[in-house]
Amino acid sequence: MSGPRTGDDLGIPADWSGPVGGFGGPTLDPSPSVPSRRGAADPVKVLMHRHRELCEQAVDPLEIAAGLEAHGVTDRTAARFRHRDVFSLAEEMYARISRDAETPPRHETAAVPRLGLGRAAFGLLPGALCAAAVAGLRLTEGRTRLGVAALGVVAVGLGLRAVLRRGPLSAEERTPPGPHTPGTRTWTCWLLGYALLGDGLLGAAVGGGPDGLPDGTAAGAWSLATAPVLALALACGPAAWTAHLFTVGARRKVTASRGLEEFAASVRPLLLGAFGLFLCALAALLAVCGAILDEPAGYAPALTLGALLLLARLLTTHGFTHAPAVALGAAAAAEVAAQAIVFTARLPGCGALAAPVDTLVAAWGPSGVPALACGAAALALLLHATRTLTRASAHALAERQP
């Protein structure tokens, strides 16, 4: 719904005294003439009628509070109904709603599906396909290696698509229908491609190259960073598990919490814990892949990219698609700009343009560019996630999807 929300949208009767605000709730009216909740113009009754289906299907007051929060009702709005907060208002609505004995119970599909063997296998698929592709690159040469690389890219892409369409990382199973934010998949593909080719190209460009095309190895003139990419592909399994762990824990907190603030306080450490577990798993995978392939693990760029992709996916699966698209696009744009600046500096009179990139590469190496770009974007998304994913309405909306 576009445009500011009106009092009628929130269920506030037309004869309500005082100004009504927008989405954030109405402003408080200093006038003492506030109508009673009882009688012909009962504002709570009007609100209950407006959200009748929500009240009838709710299993506890917090579910009503989460639904009201999703519709823009805040504690300031609740004060207009002579309640201290949204949860207190929801408790009265829950107590007053007339429950039909024939009202069907909440469907079992509202529960989080178990992470069984079949769903877990989807998380392991990209890693298995990427491992096969890396092995093929190591065992082939010439045109055969080029064909193996192309086939491996297609296979891993299909595996990632399967993970994002099924299982805990799927947005189609839980998010409410809404407008799709374009560019997210494009930026994600660019970031993964840069993790494979970008550092080698930037390092060669700073030194005056590249002198040729990549040969599929880490020792060539344009090196490939296969160890970090393999670790990121294998990390799809831990990402699916931690996303499932966070979703299950948040659903349990919805039924156990007594208020919206209590729910947010209990879910925030759960979110940070799941995020930390994923980073630990990714760091372990980077160490193993680097040792097996005898390549640099690339901890900084791979960890920041993994953090960015996980946070973007968590937000997307809960219906918040705009912030992930902006963060992914900003990180990709920074990487594009760094490469473009180095090559543009070769033009006559433009040598000074490359000074910032040259300084960064001299201090941290070529991996400093993606580490800085993805790290800043991941930090911004983490701050955003601690505000949005700790709202009860984020999980209540996801829970009602069939």
Side-chain angles (χ1 to χ4, degrees), residues 62-143:
L62 185 61
E63 190 168 343
I64 297 179
L68 294 177
E69 180 190 50
H71 285 84
V73 180
T74 65
D75 289 344
R76 294 183 63 191
T77 312
R80 298 295 302 265
F81 296 92
R82 293 187 175 179
H83 283 277
R84 66 181 182 276
D85 52 32
V86 176
F87 186 72
S88 174
L89 174 61
E91 281 187 319
E92 179 178 348
M93 295 172 64
Y94 183 77
R96 292 177 59 186
I97 188 66
S98 126
R99 294 182 172 272
D100 189 345
E102 298 180 357
T103 300
R106 187 165 58 176
H107 297 291
E108 292 298 326
T109 53
V112 181
R114 295 181 58 187
L115 190 61
L117 181 61
R119 291 168 63 86
F122 280 105
L124 303 176
L125 185 59
L129 294 174
C130 189
V134 171
L137 289 176
R138 292 296 182 96
L139 298 175
T140 56
E141 295 180 354
R143 293 185 177 180

Side-chain angles (χ1 to χ4, degrees), residues 197-287:
L197 298 166
D199 288 349
L201 175 60
L202 183 61
V206 171
D211 298 326
L213 296 176
D215 58 1
T217 66
W222 182 352
S223 61
L224 295 185
T226 52
V229 173
L230 176 58
L232 287 168
L234 292 171
C236 287
W241 181 76
T242 53
H244 180 78
L245 180 68
F246 171 68
T247 303
V248 171
R251 299 282 177 88
R252 290 174 179 171
K253 297 296 184 183
V254 167
T255 58
S257 300
R258 279 283 303 164
L260 298 177
E261 293 183 1
E262 179 183 341
F263 174 80
S266 61
V267 170
R268 190 172 292 110
L270 182 64
L271 171 63
L272 296 178
F275 180 66
L277 282 176
F278 171 76
L279 291 183
C280 291
L282 179 56
L285 289 172
L286 286 168

Side-chain angles (χ1 to χ4, degrees), residues 5-346:
R5 302 181 66 86
T6 63
D8 184 61
D9 293 331
L10 301 178
I12 301 175
D15 58 352
W16 187 260
S17 62
V20 178
F23 188 83
T27 56
L28 291 175
D29 183 12
S31 173
S33 59
V34 179
S36 171
R37 297 198 308 265
R38 303 290 187 254
D42 187 347
V44 176
K45 186 174 182 180
V46 175
L47 188 65
M48 291 168 57
H49 178 74
R50 181 73 173 177
H51 303 285
R52 181 176 182 83
E53 183 178 356
L54 169 66
C55 297
E56 290 179 343
Q57 294 182 356
V59 297
D60 52 44
L62 185 61
E63 190 168 343
I64 297 179
L68 294 177
E69 180 190 50
H71 285 84
V73 180
T74 65
D75 289 344
R76 294 183 63 191
T77 312
R80 298 295 302 265
F81 296 92
R82 293 187 175 179
H83 283 277
R84 66 181 182 276
D85 52 32
V86 176
F87 186 72
S88 174
L89 174 61
E91 281 187 319
E92 179 178 348
M93 295 172 64
Y94 183 77
R96 292 177 59 186
I97 188 66
S98 126
R99 294 182 172 272
D100 189 345
E102 298 180 357
T103 300
R106 187 165 58 176
H107 297 291
E108 292 298 326
T109 53
V112 181
R114 295 181 58 187
L115 190 61
L117 181 61
R119 291 168 63 86
F122 280 105
L124 303 176
L125 185 59
L129 294 174
C130 189
V134 171
L137 289 176
R138 292 296 182 96
L139 298 175
T140 56
E141 295 180 354
R143 293 185 177 180
T144 305
R145 176 180 290 170
L146 182 61
V148 169
L151 183 61
V153 170
V154 174
V156 174
L158 292 176
L160 286 173
R161 183 178 181 183
V163 171
L164 299 182
R165 290 178 65 89
R166 301 284 295 274
L169 297 179
S170 171
E172 298 178 358
E173 293 184 2
R174 294 194 297 272
T175 56
H180 173 69
T181 304
T184 303
R185 294 178 182 175
T186 303
W187 298 133
T188 301
C189 291
W190 168 267
L191 292 170
L192 292 174
Y194 191 97
L196 180 65
L197 298 166
D199 288 349
L201 175 60
L202 183 61
V206 171
D211 298 326
L213 296 176
D215 58 1
T217 66
W222 182 352
S223 61
L224 295 185
T226 52
V229 173
L230 176 58
L232 287 168
L234 292 171
C236 287
W241 181 76
T242 53
H244 180 78
L245 180 68
F246 171 68
T247 303
V248 171
R251 299 282 177 88
R252 290 174 179 171
K253 297 296 184 183
V254 167
T255 58
S257 300
R258 279 283 303 164
L260 298 177
E261 293 183 1
E262 179 183 341
F263 174 80
S266 61
V267 170
R268 190 172 292 110
L270 182 64
L271 171 63
L272 296 178
F275 180 66
L277 282 176
F278 171 76
L279 291 183
C280 291
L282 179 56
L285 289 172
L286 286 168
V288 172
C289 292
I292 293 176
L293 299 178
D294 193 22
E295 294 181 10
Y299 289 103
L303 286 174
T304 53
L305 176 56
L308 174 60
L309 294 178
L310 176 69
L311 291 170
R313 201 62 203 169
L314 282 177
L315 287 165
T316 300
T317 57
H318 288 85
F320 305 99
T321 58
H322 179 71
V326 172
L328 293 172
E335 294 177 347
V336 172
Q339 297 281 359
I341 286 173
V342 172
F343 286 103
T344 304
R346 298 181 180 180

